[in-house]
Amino acid sequence: MTDYPPADDRLKHLIAQQVNLGVDTWKLAFWIADGIVKDPEIRAELERIADAHSKGQPCGDRHCERCFAAALTETDR
């Protein structure tokens, strides 16, 4: 049994799967995903979001489902 996406390249594979919905070839999707994964600003943003979440703080991204759900839970109390 193989695990897909592979643990050592999971982020690129997950991005490529989404990009592949809008491009002509799987190869192009992987090329785009590779550029995204290797971009230092994107990596820094992912780390910033993960750091905020690990501390139980909102990340400040208005599209973050986790923070949106947490805000709803707090207002329901």
Side-chain angles (χ1 to χ4, degrees):
M1 179 181 204
T2 61
D3 290 325
Y4 186 84
D8 66 336
D9 211 11
R10 184 171 171 77
L11 182 58
K12 183 168 78 171
H13 281 258
L14 292 172
I15 293 170
Q17 286 176 350
Q18 291 300 309
V19 170
N20 193 43
L21 300 173
V23 298
D24 291 335
T25 67
W26 188 241
K27 185 176 181 178
L28 178 58
F30 264 102
W31 182 78
I32 293 169
D34 189 56
I36 292 169
V37 169
K38 291 179 179 175
D39 184 285
E41 289 183 50
I42 293 172
R43 296 299 287 205
E45 182 62 7
L46 289 171
E47 289 174 15
R48 184 195 67 76
I49 290 169
D51 184 53
H53 288 169
S54 71
K55 293 175 181 173
Q57 301 170 346
C59 67
D61 183 337
R62 65 178 151 178
H63 301 288
C64 179
E65 291 181 28
R66 180 176 177 176
C67 292
F68 183 75
L72 286 179
T73 302
E74 288 178 12
T75 59
D76 292 342
R77 292 180 193 178

